[in-house]
Amino acid sequence: VGGKVVLVTGGSSGIGLAAAIRFAQAGAITLICARDEVKLAQAKQEILAAAGTDAIVDTFSCDIADEAGSAGDHDFHFRGSVR
């Protein structure tokens, strides 16, 4: 998964966070989403601590069960190239 973009829903805790850590450690460009922005920020720091500060991790707060809240234009800016 090195260099690939991986989206992990529920990435702020539990299995989602554990998966996000593993993806980031493997070199994936890791995007985590969940509802709680504070937990997302904490999860991002935990992922970077485990995977290293060179890991590319971004967060997005949304409720994927809410179609209206998940739809629309979202602009993500990653360090590096996305292919």
Side-chain angles (χ1 to χ4, degrees):
V1 295
K4 301 287 184 181
V5 177
V6 176
L7 169 64
V8 180
T9 61
S12 65
S13 64
I15 293 170
L17 176 57
I21 289 171
R22 297 292 287 223
F23 285 128
Q25 288 173 329
I29 299 165
T30 307
L31 173 62
I32 58 173
C33 70
R35 292 173 291 187
D36 189 321
E37 289 184 35
V38 173
K39 285 185 179 180
L40 279 168
Q42 293 169 343
K44 179 177 180 176
Q45 293 309 310
E46 188 173 338
I47 294 166
L48 291 172
T53 56
D54 288 340
I56 301 172
V57 180
D58 207 347
T59 64
F60 180 64
S61 178
C62 72
D63 183 352
I64 63 168
D66 175 16
E67 185 176 346
S70 299
D73 294 329
H74 302 293
D75 192 14
F76 298 105
H77 299 279
F78 296 105
R79 293 180 296 144
S81 61
V82 178
R83 296 175 192 228

